[in-house]
Amino acid sequence: PNKELYYFLGLLMTDGHLSKYSVSFEMMKTDILEIKPILENIFKINLPLYIYNRKERAKPGFINGRKIIAKSKMGNITLNSRKMSDIINKDYGIQIGNKTYIIRIPPLFWKLSYENKSYFLKGILDGDGSITTSGFHIDSGSFDFLDGVKIILETLGIKSRLTNINGNYRFRTLVSKELRDILKYFVIN
C-alpha cells in the first residue's frame, strides 16, 4: 500500500466516520478540498462533494484546531461502499460506528515501515493534532488511541507523554532530531 493510503487511514481514525456501508469525512471546506484529490487517487473514482454553511448543521466551535463561526463553509465527502467498509474494518482493524472514546490503534500499525508510520501519523495530526515550535500534540477522548500513537512514536525513537485535561487526553512530543526527521514526511507530494 502507498503512503496516501496510510495518510487516509490516520485521518479516518480521527476525522472520518466508518459505517457498515460507507466511509465519510465532514470538515471545513478548505480541509475537505485538500483531501478530496488524495481520496480520489486512492479509490480511483470521482467523489461527490457536498458544500454547505455550518449554520445548517451545528453550533459554532472548533474543527481541526480552527475556530469556526456559524456561517463557516463546510464540506462532506462520502464513499458508499459496503465492500470498502469491510476491507477497512477487517484488514486494517478500524472500528465501525462511533469511536470517540473507544478507538484504538491496531497493532499492525506499530509494525509499518518508517515511511508508512510517518504518513499514518500525518493523517492523525491533520485530524486531531497540531504542530508547534515545541513539537506536536494530539487531543482525543480515548486514552487507548493516544497510547497507540505513543507506541508508534517510541518505535521511531520519539519521546512523548500523555496528560489528562478535563476528561480529555492530550499527547505531546518534545522537539528532537528524530521528530525533525519525521516531520519531513508531513507534506504529501
Side-chain angles (χ1 to χ4, degrees), residues 16 22 29 40 43 66 68 81 92-93 97 105 109 123 128 133 138 142 146 157 171 185 187:
S22 67
K29 179 182 174 185
E40 289 177 338
F43 298 115
R66 294 183 186 168
I68 59 169
S81 169
Y92 295 99
I105 294 180
F109 290 96
D128 282 346
T133 55
I138 302 165
S142 172
L146 292 179
F171 171 87
Y185 289 98
V187 176

Side-chain angles (χ1 to χ4, degrees), residues 50-68:
Y50 171 60
I51 303 291
Y52 59 92
N53 287 324
R54 176 78 175 166
K55 67 180 180 175
E56 296 173 14
R57 303 280 286 228
K59 295 178 182 175
F62 289 87
I63 294 184
N64 292 347
R66 294 183 186 168
K67 186 174 182 177
I68 59 169

